[in-house]
Amino acid sequence: MKGSRSPEYSKLAYIYDTIMEDVDYEVWADFIDEIIQTNHPDPVSILELACGTGSMALSLDELMCYDIVATDKSPHMIKIARCKKRDNRWSDVDFEVMDFLDIALDRRFDAVISTFDSVNYLHKPRDIVRLLKEIKKVLKPDSIFVFDFTTPKNSIRSIKYLNNEEGYAPGNYRFFRKSSYNPSSRIHYNVFDIEKLDNDMETVLEKYHEVHKQKIYTLPEMLDIIDETEFTLLAKYDGFDLVEADESSLRITMVLQCPTIQ
Ligand SMILES: C[S@@+](CC[C@H](N)C(=O)[O-])C[C@H]1O[C@@H](n2cnc3c(N)ncnc32)[C@H](O)[C@@H]1O
């Protein structure tokens, strides 16, 4: 049976939390909260872009009484996020389907966040400039945008453990991942073959093929892109500490401030 090609984050939604099970979102949410509190005097409202299955928003919501709207382009990821919210009855995160290149919200926030390489899905610097223009529409004056991106060094390192990954996920899914990095185009590919199995866990009922392409930016490139916009760089953090990032960092979290006059 040949797998049909599915759009990014459609079938992957069903195995996403399994492939992320080593990521401690509670610790990560702590770090994001520390960044927000460090760089904003009185944060109340947060907009998350590219929230995936909602793990960051739900962890942040558990940590602090923020008013959180969490959005993602994939309706499949948002469907799972809403199911997780139903399981956590205390949560009042508002999950919505939204493309971050076309932000249509009639309110402004103290902080906008986007974690786990989501900005790397933008393949051209002009797309990141466009993203920042969209974000400006929903930030209050002097509020912040916090996002991370992954660097070439991280891609080279991560293919060693990401490539040839295989496993099972709830709902009778089996998956295989091929991960490769092209250092000249600086595109990181993650190709997933996902199978829906019968209850015997052997018979393959359906097969899907999802190709994920991420553009891997260097720190100087990202700084040049930000320079083209009206945002000011407040901080750049290395990994998961409030330590200054440099060109040897694997993952960098940027904090940008929105211009006062809009
Ligand atoms: C690597 S996942 C990260 C998800 C989540 N932030 C996390 O930490 O688990 C990337 C996410 O970006 C979303 N995404 C990609 N392009 C997008 C766009 N143009 N607008 C909104 N979301 C997008 C995908 O649907 C996917 O959920």
Side-chain angles (χ1 to χ4, degrees):
M1 188 190 298
K2 195 172 178 313
S4 58
R5 172 95 175 237
S6 5
E8 279 175 0
Y9 290 102
S10 51
K11 296 300 168 189
L12 191 75
Y14 301 108
I15 64 160
Y16 187 78
D17 284 348
T18 299
I19 60 172
M20 291 294 152
E21 65 193 2
D22 290 338
V23 177
D24 192 333
Y25 279 98
E26 286 177 13
V27 171
W28 201 336
D30 249 335
F31 177 54
I32 295 295
D33 180 48
E34 194 181 5
I35 292 178
I36 294 171
Q37 300 286 339
T38 304
N39 290 284
H40 192 288
D42 186 21
V44 176
S45 54
I46 295 181
L47 171 66
E48 184 177 5
L49 303 175
C51 68
T53 57
S55 302
M56 174 61 71
L58 292 168
S59 300
L60 260 183
D61 192 37
E62 197 172 356
L63 201 66
M64 292 292 286
C65 293
Y66 289 127
D67 166 14
I68 304 176
V69 177
T71 62
D72 196 281
K73 183 173 148 180
S74 161
H76 308 274
M77 298 292 265
I78 289 295
K79 188 173 163 198
I80 295 198
R82 286 179 178 150
C83 287
K84 283 159 70 175
K85 175 184 159 175
R86 266 198 299 278
D87 294 343
N88 295 300
R89 286 168 187 268
W90 42 262
S91 172
D92 56 5
V93 176
D94 180 10
F95 287 106
E96 299 295 340
V97 176
M98 192 182 77
D99 186 334
F100 58 35
L101 292 180
D102 186 14
I103 298 180
L105 292 173
D106 203 11
R107 58 176 287 200
R108 288 175 186 265
F109 298 82
D110 297 313
V112 174
I113 63 170
S114 186
T115 57
F116 217 145
D117 316 343
S118 302
V119 167
N120 291 95
Y121 277 90
L122 297 174
H123 294 177
K124 300 261 185 285
R126 65 168 180 269
D127 298 332
I128 300 179
V129 171
R130 179 170 161 205
L131 170 68
L132 290 172
K133 278 198 180 131
E134 287 296 302
I135 290 170
K136 192 181 155 211
K137 296 195 308 203
V138 288
L139 275 178
K140 294 178 187 167
D142 295 326
S143 49
I144 53 173
F145 174 41
V146 180
F147 73 100
D148 67 62
F149 67 100
T150 169
T151 64
K153 195 173 169 190
N154 197 30
S155 277
I156 291 162
R157 189 170 290 197
S158 67
I159 48 169
K160 293 190 189 98
Y161 56 85
L162 294 180
N163 191 30
N164 292 325
E165 186 192 9
E166 55 180 271
Y168 292 86
N172 295 5
Y173 287 100
R174 178 163 62 192
F175 63 89
F176 306 88
R177 183 208 301 235
K178 291 267 175 226
S179 191
S180 59
Y181 175 61
N182 181 333
S184 47
S185 63
R186 277 197 274 113
I187 297 288
H188 193 130
Y189 294 89
N190 279 295
V191 178
F192 292 90
D193 283 297
I194 301 168
E195 297 172 341
K196 174 81 175 161
L197 303 175
D198 205 348
N199 286 337
D200 62 11
M201 295 303 281
E202 277 180 19
T203 314
V204 179
L205 300 175
E206 287 160 25
K207 267 185 145 188
Y208 307 98
H209 185 72
E210 251 185 69
V211 179
H212 291 245
K213 268 171 76 178
Q214 286 174 291
K215 173 75 181 181
I216 308 303
Y217 296 95
T218 62
L219 177 59
E221 280 172 342
M222 193 56 84
L223 292 172
D224 282 349
I225 295 169
I226 292 161
D227 261 358
E228 280 181 48
T229 73
E230 295 175 73
F231 281 78
T232 308
L233 178 71
L234 291 187
K236 48 184 183 339
Y237 299 120
D238 178 13
F240 299 95
D241 291 302
L242 296 186
V243 168
E244 174 99 357
D246 61 28
E247 285 187 57
S248 68
S249 303
L250 299 176
R251 176 181 302 282
I252 301 176
T253 302
M254 311 290 271
V255 185
L256 310 185
Q257 190 169 50
C258 192
T260 311
I261 299 160
Q262 310 222 4

